[in-house]
Amino acid sequence: MSEPSRFDRGHTDDLMSFLAASPTPYHAVANAAERLEKAGFRQVSETDAWDGSSGGKYVLRGGAIIAWYVPETATPHTPYRIVGAHTDSPNLRVKPLPDAGGHGWRQVAVEIYGGPLMNSWLDRDLGLAGRLTLRDGSTRLVNVDRPLLRVPQLAIHLDRAVSSEGLKLDKQRHLQPIWGLGDDVRDGDLIAFLEEELGLGAGEVTGWDLMTHSVEAPAYLGRDKELLAGPRMDNLLSVHAGVAALAAVAGGPELSYIPVLAAFDHEENGSQSDTGADGPLLGGVLERSVFARGGSYEDRARAFAGTVCLSSDTGHAVHPNYAERHDPTHHPRVNGGPILKVNVNNRYATDGSGRAVWAAACEKAGVPFQSFVSNNSMPCGTTIGPITAARHGIKTVDIGVAILSMHSVRELCGVDDPHLLANALVAFLEG
């Protein structure tokens, strides 16, 4: 007889809402900030002087958010407990000159971001969302969350070889979405359309960071609704769990660490940006917090030496149709609890002492966990864990939730695992 489900309907329903409302990193951090504000956190500006007061604070920069809670008992050298995650997902992003087309079709010129499963973007109803920059330097979020664009697949009658040789897509020629009809390509059409959507004047928008997303809503799946299908689980599932965990521990009476959420942008293309894990954002925030509490460089060194980061990113559940692609003795299953990710070549940052930290948190929370390693015959992926460990010199452990269809426009996880991850993160942040 199988173990009864630990499914928390409220948590997973809330995750579905978060996924649907966060089509871009900019929307994800705005929604995270809104949830933290309700838990008593307040935004601080990087250009202002910081004080050493206790309480919850956060910094927003582009598609990244760093949030932390300073207990009243914190000293300048109190270590941090960090949950790391990333806000970006592979997708199709709009080029600087977006208006394109031909043969009676209007199209939007897009560039491939990250490493998407390109076939999953075919014949999907796509919306358009992102960040617009106005002439005065201010920014506005935009989300056209309705069927607006589509990348149509070539009919089989015109590609008979697809059945025998497989689908072959050229990133430049075959993934440009259509969004209307017309023989004349008019420069400025797309941005004018978005200005009208937001009620802006013509020519107000001078910069944009726009991307496509599937408008299909997240949904429970399966006979017993044991599965969750939805977009951007890699890695908004971890962002959502981190926000929930940080809000839950804020104000705790016996916090021995300063709990932190660090959700970065640009993980899918290497993390090298001012909002990525390989940039200075996290280190700057942690150092300024030490100094704002009257600390010295010595206090900063002591705090970092005692700090631990859980880098939470999705991993691979065993695929029933491709089980030979997985390590034969490590087969993470959905709804089996979050996974500990290990790679001895440091594609993941976990070592034995880090495993012990994770095991203690899971034991405290009553959460089972599984282990993941790659098949020796296949290259191992990576995430922000090794970058965080190397850049800041802090102990880092790579963990996450096992999913299928990673980097697809629509991914799949078990309904138990998001809540189990959040519970384990609460226990970790509490210390």
Side-chain angles (χ1 to χ4, degrees):
M1 184 175 179
S2 62
E3 186 177 347
S5 172
R6 291 166 289 269
F7 174 36
D8 184 296
R9 177 81 187 223
H11 180 91
T12 308
D13 284 349
D14 190 60
L15 169 61
M16 294 166 72
S17 297
F18 186 78
L19 293 173
S22 304
T24 76
Y26 314 111
H27 290 82
V29 299
N31 290 324
E34 181 180 2
R35 290 160 182 256
L36 290 171
E37 287 273 350
K38 292 179 180 178
F41 286 70
R42 295 294 177 262
Q43 183 175 2
V44 295
S45 172
E46 293 186 82
T47 60
D48 291 342
W50 292 5
D51 61 43
S53 60
S54 60
K57 306 171 185 182
Y58 67 90
V59 165
L60 288 180
R61 184 193 289 183
I65 182 171
I66 311 293
W68 66 104
Y69 181 84
V70 180
E72 291 185 359
T73 56
T75 67
H77 59 264
T78 297
Y80 300 95
R81 281 280 174 112
I82 305 168
V83 172
H86 68 88
T87 61
D88 59 319
S89 300
N91 56 20
L92 311 179
R93 301 203 172 188
V94 175
K95 290 183 175 180
L97 300 176
D99 300 293
H103 308 286
W105 298 99
R106 293 190 186 279
Q107 294 177 277
V108 174
V110 296
E111 190 173 4
I112 311 303
Y113 177 82
L117 286 173
M118 293 188 294
N119 62 292
S120 72
W121 288 86
L122 301 178
D123 297 328
R124 297 271 185 178
D125 295 337
L126 303 176
L128 189 66
R131 178 180 65 176
L132 302 175
T133 303
L134 309 187
R135 286 190 178 277
D136 62 4
S138 63
T139 59
R140 293 279 297 273
L141 296 184
V142 61
N143 183 11
V144 184
D145 195 30
R146 63 179 186 272
L148 180 69
L149 308 103
R150 186 180 179 92
V151 182
Q153 186 170 347
L154 185 64
I156 192 171
H157 312 83
L158 303 177
D159 187 14
R160 296 290 185 179
V162 71
S163 297
S164 57
E165 299 178 8
L167 179 65
K168 299 177 182 179
L169 295 172
D170 183 282
K171 293 180 179 179
Q172 178 62 39
R173 294 185 293 127
H174 298 153
L175 290 171
Q176 307 305 309
I178 61 174
W179 76 305
L181 300 175
D183 290 311
D184 298 324
V185 175
R186 295 190 296 269
D187 290 340
D189 268 4
L190 181 67
I191 300 307
F193 163 76
L194 295 175
E195 288 172 335
E196 185 176 344
E197 284 284 308
L198 289 182
L200 299 172
E204 281 195 62
V205 174
T206 57
W208 52 88
D209 302 281
L210 299 168
M211 56 204 76
T212 61
H213 66 277
S214 171
V215 298
E216 185 178 3
Y220 293 109
L221 185 145
R223 183 193 66 181
D224 299 320
K225 297 183 178 180
E226 299 169 294
L227 302 169
L228 174 63
R232 299 176 294 281
M233 292 183 184
D234 177 16
N235 186 33
L236 294 188
L237 188 157
S238 294
V239 175
H240 175 265
V243 171
L246 181 60
V249 303
E254 298 180 358
L255 286 174
S256 52
Y257 298 88
I258 296 174
V260 180
L261 169 68
F264 302 102
D265 201 353
H266 301 132
E267 187 273 348
E268 298 293 355
N269 63 8
S271 295
Q272 292 185 322
S273 71
D274 69 327
T275 53
D278 203 18
L281 181 58
L282 176 61
V285 167
L286 300 184
E287 289 178 349
R288 290 186 68 177
S289 179
V290 169
F291 300 149
R293 284 177 276 122
S296 62
Y297 184 83
E298 181 73 10
D299 292 310
R300 179 260 187 217
R302 293 174 66 188
F304 276 45
T307 292
V308 183
C309 174
L310 286 187
S311 163
S312 182
D313 200 353
T314 53
H316 303 294
V318 61
H319 195 304
N321 299 338
Y322 301 91
E324 73 281 359
R325 303 292 181 95
H326 300 264
D327 182 84
T329 58
H330 294 77
H331 278 180
R333 299 187 176 192
V334 298
N335 289 337
I339 57 175
L340 176 74
K341 298 193 279 189
V342 179
N343 180 264
V344 295
N345 294 302
N346 280 359
R347 299 292 285 173
Y348 300 128
T350 307
D351 62 11
S353 61
R355 185 189 192 281
V357 172
W358 172 242
C362 289
E363 181 179 2
K364 178 181 177 182
V367 168
F369 74 91
Q370 309 174 82
S371 294
F372 171 85
V373 296
S374 288
N375 186 305
N376 285 330
S377 299
M378 303 186 70
C380 180
T382 190
T383 182
I384 65 170
I387 295 171
T388 304
R391 182 168 183 83
H392 306 294
I394 58 180
K395 179 176 292 296
T396 304
V397 188
D398 278 298
I399 56 105
V401 161
I403 68 171
L404 292 182
S405 305
M406 186 183 294
H407 286 199
S408 171
V409 75
R410 197 165 177 84
E411 297 162 327
L412 187 72
C413 75
V415 294
D416 289 341
D417 291 328
H419 186 243
L420 293 176
L421 173 65
N423 282 350
L425 296 182
V426 167
F428 165 74
L429 291 176
E430 288 177 335

